[in-house]
Amino acid sequence: MRQTKERESSCRLAVDIEGLAAMLSCGQMTARKIVEDSGARITIGRRVLYSVRKVEKYLETIAG
């Protein structure tokens, strides 16, 4: 199986669950709950990524 290459980028459109949890400064379970509520899941083959833009929009909405 081929490894996914990590690349540095300051502006990410989608991240994995570890990257999302790091961006939100929370645990993976909390990040998964936020993704579920925001509908930010993106599936490409077997890879699962999460839309940063949808998560940001959701957090702005619940923040008031």
Side-chain angles (χ1 to χ4, degrees), residues 12-52:
R12 294 186 179 216
L13 298 175
V15 293
D16 59 5
I17 195 64
E18 290 178 16
L20 184 62
M23 288 175 67
L24 297 172
S25 298
C26 66
Q28 288 186 10
M29 292 304 294
T30 303
R32 288 182 198 279
K33 173 76 170 112
I34 291 170
V35 164
E36 182 181 315
D37 293 345
S38 66
R41 182 182 171 116
I42 302 168
T43 305
I44 303 171
R46 294 184 340 191
R47 182 152 177 135
V48 178
L49 298 171
Y50 305 98
S51 170
V52 173

Side-chain angles (χ1 to χ4, degrees), residues 44-64:
I44 303 171
R46 294 184 340 191
R47 182 152 177 135
V48 178
L49 298 171
Y50 305 98
S51 170
V52 173
R53 190 173 310 148
K54 283 188 178 182
V55 169
E56 287 174 345
K57 186 183 260 187
Y58 171 73
L59 292 175
E60 287 175 9
T61 302
I62 65 170

Side-chain angles (χ1 to χ4, degrees), residues 2-7 47:
R2 295 175 67 183
Q3 289 281 0
T4 301
K5 206 182 256 189
E6 287 292 324
R7 296 182 177 94
R47 182 152 177 135

